[in-house]
Amino acid sequence: MRKETQKLLLLSVLGLVSVNMAAQQQVKKDTIKNIDEVVVTALGIKRQDKSLGYVAEKVNGEEFTKTQNNNWAQALEGKVAGLKIQTAGAGPLGSAKITLRGSASMNMDNNQALIVVDGVPLGGTNTGTGNAAYGAGTGGDLPVDFGNNFNSINPDDIESVTVLKGATAGALYGSRGMHGAIMITTKSGKSKNGKVSVTFNSNTSFDSVLHWPDYQYEYGQGTLQKNTAGQYYYSYGASPDGVNTGSTSSAFGPKFNGQSYFQYDPTVEGQSLQRQEWKPYKNNIKDFWEVGTTFANNLSIESSTEKTAFRASLNYTKNNWMMPNTGFDRFNGALSIDHHASDKLHIVTKFAYNSTESDNLPATGYNNQSISYFMIFQNPNVDLNWYKPIWKNGQNQIDQIHPFSSFIDNPYLIAYEMLNGVNKKFITGNVTATYKFAKNFDVMLRSGLEITDEERTTKRPYSSANYLQGYYREQHINNSEFNTDILFSYKNNFGKFGFNASAGGNLRYNEYTLNDYRATGLKIPGLYELTNGISLLTRVPQPRDKEMNSLYGLASLNYDNVWFLDLTARNDWSSALPKADRSYFYPSAATSFILSDIFNLKSNNFNFWKLRASWSMVGSDTDPYNLLQTYNTSDFNNSAEVASIYFNPNLKPEMNTNIEAGMDFSFIKNRLTYGVTLYQNNTKNQIITVPTLIESGYSTRIINAGEIRNRGIEMTLGAYPVKTQNFSWNVNANWSMNRNKILSLPGEFNGEPYTMSSVGGVVFFNAVVGGSLGDMYGAKLQRSPDGQVIYGSDGLTAKSTKIEYVGNAYAKWRGGLQNTFKYKNISFSFSLDGQYGGMVYSQSHHKMSEQGKLENTLPGRDNPNGTFVGAGVVQNADGSFSANTKAVALHTYYGDYYRRANIETNSFDASFIKLREATITYDFPKDIVRNLKMSNLSLSIYGRNLLMWTKNFPLFDPEAATLNDSSITPGVEVGQLPTARTVGIQLNAKF
């Protein structure tokens, strides 16, 4: 007969909540422990998961350390249903946008989850360079990924992460919790018997490019020009063979067939004295990229007594990224002190310091100063080594080597002279004091701060395409946020009824300033100082201060631990809204029923059944200074200009109404668990910017309008198919689907689309009633009724001035699968995740196809006279269609078919599956560990982004996005940098 033991667990949580839980542990070896999991909810309150009427998924800290990432958040990818980590593919710091349950706001920057560290929200303000990703020919600069504040968190300091999904879960955080919250709990001292415990982790990893575009190396530079003998030829500069053909960026030249031409000769920095072999340099892009390295060492010390727990940690990370001369140095320090000053007073202090420095981070986008631009324009017959001297003979710091076009900068000049530096100090800290007035009544006071002090430098040398006389820029950014909470809590039991109530308030103040100095033109080449500038621009600092005051309350009721009800209420007063609507109130309700207990359904094979449901209404304000007309800083020194936006003094808060319901099950002695959730969000009174008549003196205005409905389903599955004394196999899977629909738009659009944003002037994210957020519009191929491509009389595709729907940037569904196998001291785990559907428009694909650089432009290369007939039809005068027979020059055909504005031919299915992570860990036997005077010792080999399966995606990565200024725009690739495949080794030792 099965034996059972009952253990009473008393969890005292910061004096806020005390929960008695009966934890049942089966003695039989094949039984999994059935302990009610505790998760961190809003305001840092810890709750039993079974008591919650909404979803809170917990991820343990080991997930963030077993495969080291430059951004800890990327370790969440594929592990949480409905969660998406979107990066811009813009360099080693890997800024990420975290969304939960899709997008609900027309403001594409306003859909992110809130990041909360030890109960204190992070502000999340990002500052870009002020430049768009598509900027070729504008004479400007490019975006640079300087990293988010939250990616500075040391993953070794993370104890656990709880993902609160939906507006109900984050309701107590107000506006910023409307799209859910990521609750980070950092480690504190937990050593046993008051002993000092020391942990040392050392990690070394190597990065290489995961996936390359489909470059062609069969044909070289040129545009099908013939010599006097009627043969295709190549000539760098005019030569006895014919006129110059070496100034084009296209690769529609002669086939590589062992012939010889006059080519560029680096020894004379011009045309070769004799004809040279016409051959491809098949690694003339790939060889520019190096094996990146990351070295990280973490040391932590902790100790605890009955009254005090202490932990301190230091971390140093050195990254050399895959692009030469790029990377960063990061130092983290953290301190945690948990002290019971008396039986009534409990004080917790946490402090973290981060310093990130880099001499150079890569610029991204489509512009001369981006390495992506060079990769697009590099021709198959050009040796990469020709560029390595950087400067022409005797022209150091004056004139670069770029022999084929003055618009294409030398790649080594980009890497070693066009520098984007940063020195960033980031400090977070909080003090939490809890005083217990009586057994059932206490008060918590918490004050937290977040301070960012960042200095950036931009250096551009002489002869760079956009700055012929050089350029130097300094940005000084100061951003501070202060949060203070007070919370009174009461708890009691009345027979079978349990009652907890909390009420309090929050004061939040954000202060932001930016100083920007630009020296256009340098008096002395290579001297980067503001005083060396020919023309100096100093922008007057423009403040972005904001204040929010709040009152809130929470009441929790349970009956016999089988029925739970949570009610919350919050009222905010925002300085960003007008006085009449500055105050806004919103409530929430959540309930859960433990049906397996209510109906006494428990058995060996059916262990747990929970029904949960919730409803909430959450308000959101806007950015500061959107109410009254203000002045913007001007490009003229110490001057300002009238803003082109007509601000709205009558703005109202945006409101989100959320309902969700779900069930959780546990079977076979808890070895099989399953959860399902259905939800719907309606967001109305969206605060959006719309165009206005230019006669008004403004180009846009801010209004309240529009309603979005978001619906979705999430499922999770966990299982232990095998569990014996020496071997176990654990499986976790998740699947999610989200659909949104635009229910209404401002009436003034009269059925016309509202353009929420655009990229490069060709891709438009348009909102149309009945459509969805993420809908992408642009030019398409024109087709006959039977679907054939229509061509004009010139043999090129028919053009239309109509902007049409092309596809949606968001996936139809996403899923993840994790497996962990353990055999004695060895464990092996791997994680797969992917998505089905979604679309990516690629600017790089357009340009490389237009220039004949990709394999898709090989068909027709051997056609007589270098012409091509497009497969399709032409429309006759009577409206009928006949086959297209018009031949056009091959390079003209491909240039037109893949033209930048043709969104259809440059867009691809974004479906993919990735082997996201794999880890093998060996835990050294206890006798060896004891002989070494240690308590634990393990060695791990790991990999990340090891393999990728796509539907013939021709570029770097279908998880593409564009960094525009500081915004990450999914579904569009403009100068994306390669994705890294990482392999590494990690040593963990504990003394």
Side-chain angles (χ1 to χ4, degrees), residues 74-113:
Q74 293 178 25
L76 291 170
E77 190 71 81
K79 296 184 175 71
V80 178
L83 181 145
K84 172 60 183 171
I85 307 290
Q86 183 68 71
T87 64
L93 287 178
S95 291
K97 180 167 71 173
I98 305 177
T99 55
L100 294 166
R101 297 180 172 176
S103 297
S105 175
M106 292 184 193
N107 181 347
M108 299 183 75
D109 287 331
N110 192 31
N111 287 296
Q112 301 187 52

Side-chain angles (χ1 to χ4, degrees), residues 123 132 193 199 256 331 334 469 516-517 573 658 676 727 912 967 984:
N193 304 319
T199 302
F256 297 115
F331 172 80
Q469 291 183 287
D516 197 350
Y517 310 95
W573 289 265
N658 174 79
V676 60
F727 179 74
F912 71 89
S967 299

Side-chain angles (χ1 to χ4, degrees), residues 421-732:
V422 65
N423 186 338
K424 179 179 179 180
K425 305 293 189 295
F426 178 55
I427 298 171
T428 59
N430 67 82
V431 177
T432 304
T434 305
Y435 187 80
K436 188 177 290 294
F437 292 105
K439 179 180 178 181
N440 300 323
F441 181 53
D442 57 51
V443 61
M444 181 272 292
L445 178 65
R446 176 170 53 222
S447 186
L449 59 84
E450 172 190 354
I451 299 175
T452 303
D453 183 12
E454 187 172 0
E455 295 182 3
R456 301 173 179 175
T457 57
T458 303
K459 299 176 181 179
R460 301 291 180 258
Y462 265 51
S463 89
S464 57
N466 287 353
Y467 301 103
L468 294 177
Q469 291 183 287
Y471 172 83
Y472 179 61
R473 180 185 187 185
E474 290 183 6
Q475 286 179 291
H476 300 269
I477 302 163
N478 291 284
N479 186 29
S480 301
E481 179 161 309
F482 304 92
N483 270 279
T484 299
D485 287 275
I486 188 168
L487 190 70
F488 295 90
S489 297
Y490 173 80
K491 60 189 176 212
N492 210 340
N493 292 320
F494 304 94
K496 291 187 177 182
F497 285 94
F499 177 73
N500 294 335
S502 300
N506 170 267
L507 301 176
R508 173 164 64 91
Y509 179 71
N510 181 267
E511 187 177 82
Y512 173 93
T513 56
L514 166 65
N515 289 278
D516 197 350
Y517 310 95
R518 306 180 192 184
T520 303
L522 304 176
K523 299 172 186 176
I524 301 174
L527 179 61
Y528 295 101
E529 295 179 358
L530 294 173
T531 54
N532 189 43
I534 295 174
S535 173
L536 181 63
L537 166 66
T538 302
R539 281 187 176 269
V540 177
Q542 189 166 347
R544 302 288 293 170
D545 299 352
K546 183 177 176 179
E547 186 173 351
M548 176 82 77
N549 298 327
S550 309
L551 292 175
Y552 44 72
L554 164 68
S556 297
L557 180 69
N558 82 80
Y559 174 75
D560 201 22
N561 280 327
V562 299
W563 172 71
F564 302 87
L565 174 66
D566 288 345
L567 301 173
T568 74
R570 178 168 173 137
N571 200 94
D572 288 342
W573 289 265
S574 171
S575 67
L577 292 172
K579 188 174 182 180
D581 294 292
R582 184 169 296 163
S583 170
Y584 50 104
F585 171 83
Y586 39 93
S588 79
T591 186
S592 65
F593 300 85
I594 313 304
L595 300 180
S596 52
D597 288 341
I598 294 174
F599 298 111
N600 196 24
L601 299 175
K602 285 187 176 182
S603 67
N604 288 337
N605 294 324
F606 189 83
N607 311 118
F608 183 74
W609 180 18
K610 169 185 167 182
L611 173 67
R612 48 186 162 77
S614 67
W615 171 92
S616 66
M617 180 179 291
V618 179
S620 177
D621 61 351
T622 183
D623 294 331
Y625 310 112
N626 278 345
L627 303 178
L628 302 174
Q629 295 308 123
T630 58
Y631 289 91
N632 290 332
T633 56
S634 167
D635 284 346
F636 294 98
N637 285 338
N638 299 314
S639 63
E641 60 189 13
V642 177
S644 61
I645 300 176
Y646 182 77
F647 297 112
N648 187 345
N650 300 310
L651 285 179
K652 296 180 180 179
E654 185 175 304
M655 297 301 293
N656 175 283
T657 302
N658 174 79
I659 58 172
E660 70 174 79
M663 289 190 289
D664 300 297
F665 300 89
S666 178
F667 307 94
I668 316 172
K669 303 173 187 175
N670 301 308
R671 288 175 61 166
L672 178 65
T673 60
Y674 173 75
V676 60
T677 303
L678 299 170
Y679 63 86
Q680 175 175 304
N681 294 317
N682 282 68
T683 309
K684 62 181 181 180
N685 282 343
Q686 306 233 358
I687 300 174
I688 59 178
T689 302
V690 298
T692 190
L693 294 174
I694 199 68
E695 297 91 319
S696 67
Y698 302 94
S699 59
T700 56
R701 63 193 182 97
I702 300 176
I703 63 171
N704 284 108
E707 183 175 0
I708 306 295
R709 184 186 69 202
N710 227 328
R711 287 176 173 171
I713 181 172
E714 297 168 351
M715 290 187 284
T716 60
L717 178 71
Y720 267 95
V722 180
K723 185 167 179 65
T724 66
Q725 184 174 359
N726 292 325
F727 179 74
S728 67
W729 173 23
N730 178 225
V731 180
N732 289 285

Side-chain angles (χ1 to χ4, degrees), residues 98 120 239 325 334 591 850:
I98 305 177
V120 180
S239 73
N325 198 43
T591 186
E850 177 188 73

Side-chain angles (χ1 to χ4, degrees), residues 95-96 117 137 202 258 276 396 403 470 490 503 525 565 593 664 705 758 766 936 982:
S95 291
V117 180
S202 184
Q276 298 178 342
N396 185 55
Y490 173 80
L565 174 66
F593 300 85
D664 300 297
S758 64
N766 285 351
N936 285 293
T982 303

